[in-house]
Amino acid sequence: QLQLQESGPGLVKPSETLSLTCTVSGGSISSATYYWGWIRQPPGKGLEWIGSIFYSGKTFYNPSLKSRVTISVDTSKNQFSLRLSSVTAADTAVYYCARRLEYLSARFDPWGQGTLVTVSS
Amino acid sequence: DIQMTQSPSSLSASVGDRVTITCRASQSISTYLNWYQQKPGKAPKLLIYAASSLQSGVPSRFRGSGSGTDFTLTISSLQREDFATYHCQQSYSSPGTFGQGTKVEIK
């Protein structure tokens, strides 16, 4: 079945750029049915959608993060990536990647296991 | 942004209990509402989409209902594996926003 796996540094310094990659296995990222998304969860807090991408490269972002976020896709590697610039301690969170299905009610399923990124000097 | 408010924030219940969690949207979202279950240290798992459609593989004791601004997730007979945090999410307008979560604990 479809699986997603996040990878990237677990520690990022303030003002630097957070970079994560999501590798999709068991299915093609080039499906016309799905978008692919990033969601984060600060420790002990709720979930926040960061942004999503289609295999063609079409993106849409949460306006609250848009000025700092870039999501890209590499169909040859079946991966998509997140870059978040100028990070602060407020960006410390577990970052999840997930497949997004638009039909009826846009929803995320399945999710990767998540990766904790800590912003600290 | 549409604000999603869940109540209660936490509850204690026993195995076999009927549990109801409420999610309220700050404006009408029709039935563009999803529910997720999250266990400690794990990723969220989709339970219900479009307010009342059961995701494949999810036990039938989970039921979603509602439309407009008020939605409910009901677990008809709580099982041990259901102790978790539940999140609602609206997909009516971007950015899709989540509720703050409801933690279901063992009494």
Side-chain angles (χ1 to χ4, degrees):
Chain A
Q1 77 269 21
L2 191 84
Q3 292 185 316
L4 298 92
Q5 178 69 57
E6 305 88 352
S7 60
L11 181 64
V12 181
K13 291 182 168 55
S15 79
E16 295 189 345
T17 296
L18 177 161
S19 295
L20 296 174
T21 295
C22 181
T23 300
V24 178
S25 58
S28 174
I29 202 170
S30 299
S31 169
T33 308
Y34 304 106
Y35 276 74
W36 305 90
W38 288 97
I39 305 101
R40 68 180 183 178
Q41 185 174 36
K45 296 187 178 180
L47 297 158
E48 179 181 35
W49 171 70
I50 299 170
S52 296
I53 190 165
F54 196 55
Y55 77 95
S56 63
K58 177 182 178 180
T59 55
F60 55 109
Y61 301 130
N62 189 324
S64 69
L65 297 168
K66 187 174 182 178
S67 64
R68 298 194 291 131
V69 172
T70 302
I71 297 176
S72 58
V73 64
D74 186 337
T75 55
S76 67
K77 295 181 179 179
N78 230 32
Q79 295 176 334
F80 63 105
S81 298
L82 168 71
R83 287 173 59 85
L84 180 66
S85 64
S86 305
V87 297
T88 69
D91 295 310
T92 293
V94 175
Y95 286 76
Y96 297 99
C97 59
R99 184 180 67 177
R100 174 174 159 136
L101 176 61
E102 300 294 313
Y103 177 66
L104 286 182
S105 178
R107 55 201 180 270
F108 297 101
D109 177 69
W111 297 53
Q113 65 184 27
T115 187
L116 174 63
V117 178
T118 301
V119 178
S120 175
S121 56
Chain B
D1 297 1
I2 297 176
Q3 304 303 314
M4 306 301 293
T5 304
Q6 291 182 231
S7 60
S9 295
S10 65
L11 64 90
S12 295
S14 301
V15 172
D17 283 354
R18 180 184 183 90
V19 169
T20 299
I21 298 168
T22 296
C23 180
R24 176 165 289 174
S26 59
Q27 67 181 74
S28 178
I29 58 171
S30 183
T31 57
Y32 291 88
L33 191 283
N34 308 312
W35 289 98
Y36 300 85
Q37 176 193 65
Q38 185 177 30
K39 296 183 179 179
K42 301 295 186 181
K45 171 190 170 185
L46 179 67
L47 296 178
I48 302 282
Y49 64 92
S52 61
S53 295
L54 194 66
Q55 173 69 0
S56 176
V58 174
S60 59
R61 62 180 179 272
F62 290 93
R63 189 173 75 89
S65 63
S67 66
T69 60
D70 294 319
F71 301 86
T72 299
L73 174 68
T74 301
I75 309 172
S76 59
S77 177
L78 196 67
Q79 301 300 301
R80 185 158 295 273
E81 60 266 29
D82 301 336
F83 291 95
T85 297
Y86 294 84
H87 306 271
C88 63
Q89 175 233 336
Q90 66 83 15
S91 61
Y92 179 79
S93 69
S94 185
T97 44
F98 293 84
Q100 81 280 13
T102 294
K103 186 174 184 178
V104 176
E105 299 176 299
I106 301 173
K107 182 182 285 185

